[in-house]
Amino acid sequence: MLPSDKNILIRKGRLNPKSEKEQTRPYSYGDAIHISPDSHFCKFHLNVKIWFEKTSLTKKDSTIAKYHNIYHKYIYPVLGNKDTDKISCEDVKKVIEDANRKANRKEISASTYNSIRSVLKQIVSFALPQYEFEAIVKDIMPCKCKAGAPATLSLEEQRQLERYLLKELDVYKLGILICSYTGLRVGEICALTIDAINLKRRSISITQTVQRIKVAGREKRTELKVTDPKTFSSQREIPICDYLAEILQVHLPDSKYLLGNKPYEPRTYQYKLKRYFKQLSINEKHFHTLRHTFATNCMVNGMDPKCLSEILGHADVKITLNRYVHPSFDHKIQQMNQVANHCQINDHSRS
């Protein structure tokens, strides 16, 4: 951890790398850096390196990994190799303009665009304190991209998948069935222990997740790491429906984790589901589709949004409402008919 007085020097760009080569290469998170109050400028990416080290003290590894990916993909190509004291407002603005253009062309999602803005704003505040980020980007038109209804499985595809899973049920198919009836994320099911499944109470407790994270100081190396869930709200108890409880009663394995004796690799599980979908000719769907489908089914069938929000582990019920209240046209017709039937007194009352 850096002393507070040196943090001030770093913000002014006084950082002394080992060599010119280190000045121009992208840093790897966890690399050592050398600080010198005698150096009058440095490459921007070395100031960002300090920001990452400071930020990692208060943020989860998964958050740092996400920030790292955003920086290297969208910010470093524009600003990384510039001298910190030579970066202009226009340089900063270009990052957001590029991201805005990609978002409007649907080359990146609205979520990614917002992440780019957020990460860049934090970096500018740290490395370029003389600039006011919001003042720089105020005249950039808001991103027109809008998150539409999440992709879900049709009713027929749901039935098709369930028949396939039940035909030769193993632990991997059982895990996918659990996700279909609880909305678990892929990292949560891969880190789910047998002890977390309480059949007497008919509940599943989510206290951890697993993900692949970059190893500090090793640019191309990653490790599978069990961490706390995505947010505080993601630590939750999920009720199990009677139908799923009966299946679990018979098919729960004798192992530490649902998917084996150690946490399972999420990417491997995603590929496994992709193969299942391919065999069923279900196209353009992914693991998170199971969560979207579960949530949409809950909303369509009248579940209270607050109840669903807690089951999904959302921090705010607004997230649930904004993401999953996208009724189909058939459902809109059904709702309109319900209103009409409620208002109608009898068949002969209309003129």
Side-chain angles (χ1 to χ4, degrees):
M1 182 171 158
L2 298 166
S4 58
D5 59 327
K6 288 193 175 180
N7 285 343
I8 297 170
L9 293 175
I10 289 162
R11 289 178 68 132
K12 293 179 179 177
R14 304 185 179 215
L15 212 155
N16 185 26
K18 292 179 185 176
S19 65
E20 181 62 27
K21 184 179 178 183
E22 187 168 328
Q23 280 259 12
T24 56
R25 73 172 178 82
Y27 69 83
S28 175
Y29 176 58
D31 285 350
I33 33 183
H34 301 265
I35 304 162
S36 170
D38 300 323
S39 183
H40 295 290
F41 71 92
C42 69
K43 295 298 181 184
F44 181 72
H45 73 82
L46 291 176
N47 267 326
V48 175
K49 168 65 178 149
I50 301 297
W51 174 77
F52 267 112
E53 290 191 345
K54 285 172 62 66
T55 305
S56 67
L57 299 175
T58 56
K59 300 285 186 183
K60 290 170 57 178
D61 287 346
S62 56
T63 303
I64 294 298
K66 179 183 176 183
Y67 286 0
H68 192 273
N69 183 53
I70 289 289
Y71 171 72
H72 273 276
K73 221 170 175 183
Y74 304 105
I75 301 172
Y76 175 81
V78 180
L79 303 177
N81 275 324
K82 289 182 179 290
D83 293 334
T84 302
D85 60 351
K86 292 179 182 175
I87 290 177
S88 67
C89 292
E90 288 303 313
D91 293 326
V92 174
K93 191 175 180 180
K94 186 178 185 307
V95 177
I96 298 300
E97 286 176 334
D98 289 350
N100 187 282
R101 196 177 303 112
K102 287 177 181 176
N104 286 326
R105 290 174 181 168
K106 297 192 175 177
E107 294 172 15
I108 61 174
S109 67
S111 174
T112 299
Y113 171 76
N114 290 332
S115 294
I116 295 168
R117 281 189 69 116
S118 173
V119 173
L120 182 60
K121 182 176 181 178
Q122 293 176 67
I123 290 173
V124 167
S125 175
F126 175 80
L128 302 166
Q130 69 271 29
Y131 294 147
E132 173 56 49
F133 180 79
E134 293 302 335
I136 293 173
V137 301
K138 66 180 172 57
D139 60 337
I140 297 177
M141 292 292 290
C143 176
K144 294 177 185 175
C145 60
K146 212 176 166 184
T152 59
L153 297 173
S154 68
L155 189 56
E156 181 51 41
E157 286 172 336
Q158 291 175 58
R159 289 170 178 164
Q160 200 180 352
L161 176 62
E162 188 160 329
R163 283 194 295 267
Y164 176 83
L165 297 175
L166 292 172
K167 191 174 181 181
E168 295 177 3
L169 191 63
D170 58 20
V171 290
Y172 306 113
K173 291 180 176 178
L174 180 62
I176 290 166
L177 198 64
I178 291 172
C179 290
S180 299
Y181 281 90
T182 60
L184 291 190
R185 302 177 177 98
V186 63
E188 293 170 343
I189 191 71
C190 287
L192 185 66
T193 62
I194 295 300
D195 290 344
I197 303 172
N198 187 333
L199 291 178
K200 188 174 181 182
R201 182 173 166 78
R202 300 212 165 183
S203 70
I204 295 176
S205 296
I206 301 302
T207 58
Q208 59 187 23
T209 186
V210 64
Q211 53 197 318
R212 189 157 287 283
I213 293 174
K214 287 186 179 181
V215 176
R218 302 289 294 275
E219 195 171 341
K220 294 185 178 178
R221 189 170 172 193
T222 60
E223 64 180 359
L224 204 61
K225 194 167 184 179
V226 175
T227 64
D228 292 336
K230 188 176 179 182
T231 63
F232 178 77
S233 303
S234 294
Q235 298 188 38
R236 61 202 190 277
E237 185 180 29
I238 301 173
I240 304 172
C241 67
D242 293 346
Y243 170 69
L244 182 60
E246 289 171 9
I247 294 174
L248 292 175
Q249 193 79 51
V250 178
H251 295 282
L252 270 186
D254 183 20
S255 56
K256 183 176 179 180
Y257 292 87
L258 177 73
L259 302 177
N261 286 315
K262 60 182 182 179
Y264 198 68
E265 166 64 69
R267 281 187 295 191
T268 303
Y269 209 24
Q270 289 169 329
Y271 293 146
K272 195 178 285 290
L273 178 59
K274 195 173 182 180
R275 287 198 298 272
Y276 295 163
F277 281 152
K278 189 174 181 180
Q279 290 175 31
L280 296 169
S281 298
I282 297 175
N283 301 316
E284 298 181 2
K285 300 296 192 295
H286 46 79
F287 207 102
H288 216 64
T289 302
L290 301 177
R291 181 173 166 87
H292 291 325
T293 302
F294 166 77
T296 302
N297 286 342
C298 289
M299 290 299 292
V300 167
N301 285 283
M303 181 179 283
D304 174 68
K306 179 60 178 172
C307 178
L308 176 58
S309 180
E310 292 184 3
I311 289 172
L312 293 174
H314 287 161
D316 192 323
V317 70
K318 289 179 184 176
I319 299 171
T320 312
L321 290 169
N322 291 337
R323 193 166 295 170
Y324 296 112
V325 182
H326 295 280
S328 67
F329 192 72
D330 286 344
H331 185 63
K332 290 175 184 176
I333 292 174
Q334 181 186 347
Q335 295 289 300
M336 292 291 279
N337 284 332
Q338 284 182 7
V339 172
N341 290 337
H342 174 74
C343 295
Q344 182 180 344
I345 297 174
N346 58 58
D347 291 339
H348 304 292
S349 64
R350 299 182 182 182
S351 54

